[in-house]
Each structure stands twice: as C-alpha cells, then as structure tokens.
Amino acid sequence: MENGSIPPKTEGLVSRMALNDNKAGMEGLDRDKINKIIMESSKGSKFYENEVKREQQVNQRIDKMMLQKEQITEQHLKKAQAQVARMVVELEKRRDLTRVIVHVDMDAFYAAVEMRDCPELKDKPMAVGSMSMLSTSNYHARKYGVRAAMPGFIAKKLCPNLVIVPTNFDKYRAVSSEIREIFADYDPNFMPMSLDEAYLDFTEHLEKRQSWPDSLRTHHYRASSNPKGDENNELPQETTPDVTDLSPVLFDDSPSSFLCCEDAGSAFEIFGTSVEEAVREMRFRIEQKTLLTASAGIAPNMMLAKVCSDKNKPNGQYRLPSTREAVMEFVCNLPVRKVSGIGKVSEKLLNALGISSCSHLGQKMALLSLLFSETAWHHFLQVSLGLGSAFIPRHEERKSMSTERTFKEMSAAEEQLSLCRELCEDLANDLKKEGLKGKTVTLKLKNVNFEVKTRALTLSYPVATADEIFAVAKDLLKTERDNESPQPLRLRLMGVRISAFVSSDEKQPLQKSIVGFLNPGKAELGPSHKEIPRESEEKTTLEEPQQSFFQKARAKRLQLQAAAASSRQEDSSGISSPLFLDARNCAASDEPDNDGACGASTSTSDGIGLSCPVCFRRVETADLAVFNRHIDQCLSESSAQKPSQHLEEGDGREAKRAELSAEERSLGSTSAETASSVNGNHSKSSSLVCPICLLTQDSDDLILFNRHVDLCLNQGVLHKLQSETRSPINPPSLDRCSKTNPENVAPRKFVKGSCITIDHFFR
DNA sequence: ATACATACC
DNA sequence: TACTGGTATGTAT
C-alpha cells in the first residue's frame, strides 16, 4: 500500500532531503512536484551543502558494504544461514503472543490542539512551529507535502496559504496530562514516549474487564456546551450530533458493537469487553475529555503495536490478531522504514541490498548477518519475524540532560562565552529541578556550515551548579577556539550536556559528617583535584571526599558482585550462552504441563517453581509464559544500556546478552524492583536490601534497616580508620550477595530521616 | 572515555 | 531571512 519505499532514481536528488511520505496523510500526492520545490528552496544553502556531504558519506558506506558483499562466498553464506536458522529456532520458541500491547498516538497533536482552540483554523492548512521549523501540520496541510520537521519557509512555498501557529508547550503538556490520566485507567504502568504517545499493556485490564458490569463500561458524551461556547449552547439535546461531527470515523470502526443511548437527555455508550472495545472506549474517553482524537494499534508486542497505530490514522485503530500466522503475514508486506528504529540511513543501506519490505529482510538474513553488526542484524531478524518486546519496561532513569540553542552566526569570543554561561545556567536550573549531578560535561558546537562537533570531559566528581559546569564548558570551548585559530569559530548553535549522573545515594548531603570526619579541619578547603581551573572553588569543596568514599563503597560492591558472579558461574557451567537459552527451550518445548521434570525447574522443597537463569531467583509459577516473561524482564533490566525509543528491541538484545558472562550480567545491574517482583511480591520475608553491603535484610522494620545502612556506611569509614566493625543486624560480609544494584535502588528513600553520622554511631 | 552518526518525537 | 531541541543508542577509535 505504501508503495513509495523506493524513490524514483532522480539524479542529483539528495534523497535525505526529499519528502518523507512515510507518515500518515501523505498518500497520493505529487511527490515529484513537491520534491522539486523542496530542492529549489534548499539548493545552494549551507544546509543543503551539508546534506549533500552527509549523503555522500552514506553512499560511501554503501559502497564499502557492497565491496564487502563481493567478498562473501557461498561457504560464508551457508554457514551464516545455519547460524541464522538456529537463532530463528530460539526466537520462535520464545515468541510470546499472550500479551496485549497497545500503542496510542494522538492525531497531529500540536496542530489538533491549536485547531481545537481556534476554530478559524479548522478548515485551513496549518502547522505548528515557526518559519524556521515546523513540529506538526494538520491533515489539510499534509496534502501539500507540509510535514513535521520541515522548515516553515519551505512549507510556505509548498502551500502559500499555510497558517503557521507558534508552539504552546504548556498547553500541550496540560492536554498530555489529561490523556495520561485516562491511560492510567487501562495500565497504571503505561510508558509515555512523548506528550502525545504511549505504550500500554492491556493484558491485565482485559482480564478484569471480562467480569465488569455494564456500568463500568459505560461512558457519557461530554456536556453539551463546548469550551468555546458555540451556537448550540441552548440546545443540549443536540449534543450527540455535535460529537459525532467531531469524529465521523470513530463510529465506522466497529458499528456492530456500537450502542448509543439517551437517558434524560444525556447520551452515553456502553462498550464491550473485547480488546477492540476497550481501546475504542479509551479513545472515546480521550476525545470526550480533550476534544482531540487518538489512534491506536493493538498487537502482541510493542514493535507491532507501534506500526499498527499508524495503520488507521487518523482517528482509527487496528488490531493485529495474536497468532503467528497473522503476525507473519502482517510483517511480510511491511516496508522496513515503518519499523521504529529503521530510519532514513538504514533504509537506504537495506535498499541497496534489494531489501525494502520485512519479508526481504527475512530472506536476506544470512547476508545481513555478515554485513551488519550483531545488534543490527539481530534487530533485523526480530523485525522480520514480527518479534518485539511483549512487556513494557519500567521507565529508565534519565542518562543525560542538555540544552542547546541555534542563533544567527556568532564568532566573537566574548559573545560565545556569555552564551555558554547562559546555557550552563539553564542546564544547572534543570538539574536542580531533578536533584541531579553528573560527571561528564559535553559541549556541542555547530558551525555555520552545519558541521557538528562535540567535546566532552569527564570529571572524577559530580557537578551540578552553573559555575561548575561552566568551568568545564568554557575550557572545552576555549580549546576548540584555539584549535581553530587563527580562524574564528563561526557558530550557529551551541549546546551543553551533562551525563554520567551519580546514583541517588552518592549525591545526598549525608556525607558531610563523614567527610568532616575523614578530613578533619579540611572539609571546607578545596580538594586536590585541579584538572579544571574552577570558577568557584568554594561550592564544590565537599564533592570529592564524599565521592572518594563512595567510590570505595562502589568498588567494594562491584568486587562482591564479581566474586559472587564467578562463583555462580562455576556451579552452572555454561550459563553464558547456549545453556541460558536451552533452559528456556526446555521449559518451552516438551511437556508444558510437566515443568517439574524440566531442567529449568529448581530443586527447592515446594513443587512448582522455576529458577531464572538470569537473576538466579526462584519464580513461583508453573506457567511457562509467566516464567518467560520474568526472564524477559530480568534480561531487560540487567542490561546496562536500555534504549527507551528502541524498546521494541528488548528481545533484540537478548542474544547479545546471552553471550555476556554471568559476571558481566550481574554487573549490569538489576534493580530492587526486579528483586521484589521476583521475590518480594510472593514472599513474606524482607524485601529491603542494603545498598552498601547488598545483603537482604531479615527485618522489614525501616528503623532497623536504616540503622543497618548507617552502620554499613560508617563501616567503610571506620574500617579505613581503625578496625572492622560489625553491625548488629545482618553484618556485612563478603560471602553471599544479592544481585541488587544499589545504583537503581534509591535507598535513601528509606534512609531518609535517619541521621547517618559518625557521631550517631559513636553515641 | 570520546567523537560522531542515527533515530525518535 | 530562514533547516529545531531533547534524549538515547550504536559504532569506531
């Protein structure tokens, strides 16, 4: 249907600049004419020149790839094919079709909000953004080829009547929180991807929903008068036609289940118990609440749900049945570009190999496995099989924070410096809001030729204030200026990013007393680090000693984990790769009802239960689907890097992870949440794990726990100072260790209020 | 650890 | 006149 995946080979056309008709609302327009206008508007500009350059780089990459391809023999391919085939078997065995994942996406969100609030815009082509850049366009404008990420001035050429409305983020955020309230009713753990988009796991909701009375599935049309006070105000009975006007498509979807009732002038609808009805209900509620429409995709995993939500856009939904056949058929004709994670460049690389749809992807997997990185081809393979993450991962902690600004050419050093400071101040403010401190500062520069450079420096201590960040950033900037001199830096953009955040336990103020104790009389003096000349010494004086203590605590933890991991590796010899998969095969194949006989089951007393090869914990279930889900969860959480926008790749990294040693995996961190979802939810024993010694505590008593943590913290100090100290409860020891990584635990949540001081201990 | 490229919204 | 800004990840060095 979306034929246009291979653009007509226009010589000299910079394909990366051409119209992207990948999005909804872009069908059947005059691509050539539009591309011509786009090119004419861009030609000769610095931007265009840079795009040409980048295009050439991609072309070189393709040439290189094609050369590599030439070197491949039948032998190679055969071997690769065998490996792919094995992989397919493994992946197939673990295919999970039991979950119901929904991806919801508001239609032309920003534009729709602006249209809602300004009826004059309703029947005009409009877009949100500026003459320089558009964030969204309405469907009317899309007919002209006007789309998101297009500069307004080009859009104007495509559509001279285009109305451009400036962005109004506060408004979008407000609407976003309204729709999120609704999302939460269907999945309290939904994952927002942006203001207008989210993934939801409907599985549990649907289970409950089956036994719900009609009343819980009944939803009313909004009150008659709309916020703008239309002419219908005094005619409440005309509500229904009004509303249907807003969403003519809504009711085309599943007319059979459509029930509209009138009760004393108030119209309502009773929704059914099926997935489709539940999702239709959610979309109905969104529309009633916000006057905006959403589209949704329903599928057994995130990758597919995302594609499905686009299928009947706008104001529609699409369900992909949870059968292997349906999934394979769906994926077969799917253009690779539709898959989240495969962008312009990957598409071009694949196209060069004759691959445009996902079925081609499957057919050429052996080749792909030889030409692409492991991560890449594993991803491709999963996509070709219609696989994706069947669970929605917990939202990860942020990994970086940045701010950047584009401006008219700037070359003067003083001007650049003051801008740099401003950026640092803004960034420091944002950091403060989240109470974060990071160790890596990155300066981003874009010159007037659109060439981007980043320069980073990692400190041994975390920073957060504007002065601290600026101290680093200005040096990076100076270095760049020096490198470029005598030519000036002619900038069009500058940005500052901070990353390598310290974990919550490392940035708390508690250490003051420890620091004071460790460095008597020196605590208020500057520490010895002088890698970077500092603007303001006094503000950071506490950082380093505190850091050094925690660095030791951390080193100790890692040492403990490594020791435990290697001991585990001994008792379960091949846990690294095949066995880990085999354990699952075993569970998944043979007699599903007889898991007690399976090698993956544990030998602990009570009959049912399987032991997870990743976290080594017992999973109290006889249900293999549940067990597999647990392992998926473990894998996803033990993976140190977790892309949040490639979430559908969750499974994609599994094979790679399987090749990590147990030690690497254990160092990869598993959160306390995992520990409790595996353990705590089912067992009555304590779920508190000391973030320092990593031991699960015997007691659930927070006071005792706090005391223990205090002691553990102080122990390091005491040890350093004199003799080893043992805490009264569960003394820290070197033998066993839980997999819990304190970095993700936020232990101070529990510790808060308890006074962690050396003085306290000595009292 | 650093730099750059790709991707997503 | 005019081609964003924020975050994450992958790849190469």
Side-chain angles (χ1 to χ4, degrees):
Chain A
M1 44 226 70
E2 250 77 41
N3 54 355
S5 25
I6 305 174
K9 248 310 181 249
T10 312
E11 274 313 313
L13 183 137
V14 184
S15 72
R16 50 185 301 118
M17 294 205 54
L19 174 74
N20 207 338
D21 59 0
N22 193 32
K23 282 275 173 279
M26 292 300 225
E27 297 79 18
L29 22 82
D30 193 343
R31 290 171 46 106
D32 288 350
K33 191 178 157 201
I34 291 169
N35 281 329
K36 197 170 155 241
I37 297 178
I38 294 177
M39 284 308 156
E40 279 166 6
S41 313
S42 309
K43 212 111 180 189
S45 68
K46 298 283 190 186
F47 178 83
Y48 177 84
E49 296 307 324
N50 188 251
E51 288 300 294
V52 170
K53 197 177 104 192
R54 292 178 61 185
E55 175 100 18
Q56 284 165 354
Q57 282 169 9
V58 173
N59 287 337
Q60 279 176 19
R61 230 175 114 179
I62 291 175
D63 293 345
K64 214 176 104 191
M65 182 178 75
M66 297 313 265
L67 276 177
Q68 256 184 286
K69 181 171 174 266
E70 293 307 305
Q71 309 301 309
I72 293 171
T73 65
E74 278 302 315
Q75 273 291 321
H76 290 142
L77 273 177
K78 224 172 157 181
K79 205 175 149 196
Q81 187 55 56
Q83 204 204 345
V84 169
R86 276 198 302 277
M87 187 97 199
V88 170
V89 172
E90 299 306 330
L91 291 171
E92 260 324 326
K93 276 180 183 158
R94 293 167 33 224
R95 188 190 287 272
D96 183 352
L97 295 167
T98 66
R99 309 301 293 179
V100 182
I101 306 297
V102 175
H103 180 256
V104 210
D105 194 344
M106 298 297 289
D107 303 321
F109 187 47
Y110 300 170
V113 173
E114 299 303 337
M115 284 164 75
R116 176 194 72 176
D117 296 348
C118 181
E120 291 95 273
L121 293 172
K122 282 227 161 76
D123 31 61
K124 292 184 183 134
M126 61 85 67
V128 176
S130 69
M131 236 11 192
S132 301
M133 188 51 60
L134 303 179
S135 352
T136 339
S137 55
N138 68 4
Y139 280 79
H140 195 345
R142 289 184 198 189
K143 286 188 225 141
Y144 297 84
V146 173
R147 48 158 302 133
M150 177 181 278
F153 71 93
I154 292 180
K156 275 281 198 184
K157 289 189 181 157
L158 291 170
C159 172
N161 294 324
L162 182 73
V163 179
I164 299 180
V165 179
T167 48
N168 209 329
F169 272 101
D170 289 340
K171 219 155 71 174
Y172 314 143
R173 266 191 288 272
V175 180
S176 184
S177 66
E178 288 189 289
I179 64 175
R180 287 178 187 186
E181 282 175 16
I182 296 175
F183 294 162
D185 285 344
Y186 298 88
D187 176 8
N189 302 314
F190 74 92
M191 171 185 265
M193 297 305 290
S194 60
L195 289 182
D196 78 316
E197 207 186 305
Y199 287 98
L200 292 81
D201 186 338
F202 261 58
T203 319
E204 265 83 58
H205 168 79
L206 290 167
E207 277 164 24
K208 281 189 239 145
R209 192 180 179 90
Q210 299 316 304
S211 53
W212 277 10
D214 281 3
S215 62
L216 290 175
R217 290 179 276 105
T218 301
H219 295 275
H220 289 259
Y221 289 90
R222 67 185 288 136
S224 54
S225 58
N226 72 30
K228 292 287 146 196
D230 274 5
E231 60 286 346
N232 297 333
N233 258 354
E234 48 295 286
L235 301 169
Q237 59 275 40
E238 294 212 47
T239 304
T240 306
D242 263 354
V243 172
T244 39
D245 280 352
L246 281 170
S247 62
V249 191
L250 185 65
F251 306 113
D252 296 345
D253 223 46
S254 40
S256 53
S257 56
F258 170 55
L259 252 175
C260 184
C261 314
E262 289 236 8
D263 175 14
S266 152
F268 60 89
E269 183 169 354
I270 304 169
F271 292 85
T273 55
S274 66
V275 208
E276 272 128 320
E277 283 290 286
V279 171
R280 212 168 59 74
E281 172 190 284
M282 176 177 70
R283 294 200 296 119
F284 174 86
R285 293 176 60 195
I286 290 171
E287 185 173 5
Q288 293 309 308
K289 191 171 183 177
T290 67
L291 292 174
L292 304 168
T293 62
S295 297
I298 307 161
N301 65 53
M302 292 172 76
M303 186 276 285
L304 294 169
K306 167 93 204 209
V307 179
C308 289
S309 70
D310 198 54
K311 192 121 180 151
N312 285 329
K313 212 166 220 314
N315 198 11
Q317 62 186 59
Y318 180 85
R319 182 176 78 94
L320 176 57
S322 292
T323 65
R324 189 180 176 280
E325 305 72 65
V327 168
M328 291 310 281
E329 198 203 318
F330 182 83
V331 136
C332 186
N333 299 308
L334 185 65
V336 290
R337 186 60 174 84
K338 291 269 176 191
V339 177
S340 176
I342 300 183
K344 256 199 280 246
V345 173
S346 303
E347 181 192 28
K348 202 175 172 189
L349 291 172
L350 291 171
N351 283 172
L353 298 168
I355 297 166
S356 57
S357 78
C358 293
S359 54
H360 302 153
L361 215 49
Q363 290 155 16
K364 305 233 175 172
M365 270 319 302
L367 179 62
L368 293 173
S369 77
L370 296 171
L371 294 176
F372 287 82
S373 73
E374 191 175 68
T375 3
W377 79 259
H378 283 184
H379 181 229
F380 293 151
L381 178 55
Q382 306 219 210
V383 168
S384 75
L385 293 169
L387 296 170
S389 181
F391 64 89
I392 296 175
R394 169 178 72 81
H395 201 63
E396 296 283 319
E397 281 172 33
R398 82 151 65 238
K399 295 183 173 59
S400 71
M401 189 183 273
S402 65
T403 183
E404 67 186 49
R405 220 158 289 160
T406 295
F407 36 78
K408 287 229 291 265
E409 173 168 352
M410 182 190 291
S411 309
E414 320 82 65
E415 214 180 344
Q416 290 171 355
L417 215 57
S418 82
L419 175 70
C420 182
R421 176 179 279 284
E422 202 180 299
L423 290 166
C424 292
E425 279 160 8
D426 291 354
L427 184 58
N429 275 332
D430 293 345
L431 279 173
K432 200 170 176 183
K433 285 181 204 143
E434 299 189 27
L436 291 169
K437 286 182 163 215
K439 289 193 284 197
T440 303
V441 175
T442 306
L443 180 75
K444 176 175 170 181
L445 303 173
K446 180 159 26 174
N447 67 19
V448 290
N449 295 320
F450 288 85
E451 294 161 335
V452 177
K453 267 184 192 154
T454 59
R455 294 290 175 258
L457 183 70
T458 300
L459 306 165
S460 59
Y461 51 92
V463 294
T465 67
D467 287 339
E468 293 166 329
I469 299 168
F470 181 62
V472 179
K474 81 165 197 323
D475 264 36
L476 295 169
L477 178 58
K478 184 180 185 309
T479 307
E480 267 327 284
R481 289 193 62 88
D482 291 349
N483 282 346
E484 210 78 345
S485 75
Q487 272 90 278
L489 284 183
R490 302 175 60 199
L491 301 180
R492 82 178 324 271
L493 171 144
M494 189 187 294
V496 182
R497 173 163 68 247
I498 187 156
S499 52
F501 294 126
V502 293
S503 57
S504 44
D505 52 329
E506 284 172 287
K507 62 172 184 255
Q508 295 297 318
L510 84 145
Q511 287 78 16
K512 190 145 187 170
S513 60
I514 295 174
V515 169
F517 192 74
L518 269 178
N519 300 284
K522 239 180 91 180
E524 300 307 318
L525 293 175
S528 54
H529 60 261
K530 279 288 190 274
E531 296 96 315
I532 289 295
R534 333 202 95 240
E535 293 283 296
S536 60
E537 297 287 340
E538 64 293 333
K539 296 200 175 148
T540 58
T541 48
L542 291 177
E543 310 304 339
E544 211 198 351
Q546 151 185 343
Q547 175 63 12
S548 68
F549 169 73
F550 276 100
Q551 272 170 342
K552 277 172 200 142
R554 184 196 173 87
K556 183 173 170 188
R557 248 161 34 213
L558 293 176
Q559 192 191 329
L560 283 166
Q561 286 173 335
S566 59
S567 75
R568 275 201 302 268
Q569 216 165 11
E570 278 156 32
D571 24 74
S572 48
S573 49
I575 205 74
S576 49
S577 124
L579 182 121
F580 140 72
L581 290 170
D582 289 349
R584 308 193 65 186
N585 302 343
C586 178
S589 53
D590 303 3
E591 303 95 32
D593 290 333
N594 188 15
D595 50 87
C598 174
S601 74
T602 61
S603 52
T604 30
S605 47
D606 36 299
I608 38 169
L610 300 163
S611 98
C612 170
V614 181
C615 73
F616 301 95
R617 287 171 195 282
R618 196 175 157 69
V619 183
E620 307 281 329
T621 183
D623 185 340
L624 293 172
V626 171
F627 181 61
N628 274 341
R629 239 178 353 260
H630 164 88
I631 295 177
D632 286 344
Q633 188 88 34
C634 266
L635 284 167
S636 108
E637 298 196 8
S638 68
S639 161
Q641 355 74 315
K642 180 78 196 169
S644 78
Q645 54 211 53
H646 293 186
L647 292 159
E648 60 288 339
E649 293 178 7
D651 294 336
R653 285 180 300 273
E654 289 191 15
K656 186 170 188 180
R657 268 180 245 129
E659 287 162 20
L660 296 174
S661 69
E663 173 180 337
E664 282 169 310
R665 268 185 273 123
S666 95
L667 293 178
S669 103
T670 298
S671 72
E673 280 88 332
T674 307
S676 54
S677 73
V678 173
N679 251 355
N681 286 351
H682 311 296
S683 74
K684 51 280 127 226
S685 73
S686 168
S687 54
L688 298 179
V689 177
C690 171
I692 306 301
C693 72
L694 300 172
L695 287 168
T696 303
Q697 297 305 296
D698 294 330
S699 161
D700 260 323
D701 184 333
L702 288 183
I703 299 189
L704 283 179
F705 178 70
N706 279 337
R707 194 172 299 156
H708 167 86
V709 176
D710 286 358
L711 289 166
C712 261
L713 280 164
N714 291 339
Q715 193 188 26
V717 181
L718 294 172
H719 189 95
K720 175 186 173 117
L721 291 173
Q722 35 177 346
S723 59
E724 183 150 306
T725 309
R726 294 270 160 200
S727 76
I729 53 164
N730 225 347
S733 65
L734 284 171
D735 32 42
R736 278 275 65 118
C737 112
S738 99
K739 261 196 87 258
T740 306
N741 183 340
E743 306 274 344
N744 293 342
V745 170
R748 302 291 298 164
K749 187 167 60 189
F750 303 114
V751 179
K752 214 169 268 168
S754 130
C755 176
I756 302 183
T757 61
I758 297 287
D759 311 33
H760 169 89
F761 180 72
F762 280 136
R763 245 180 276 130

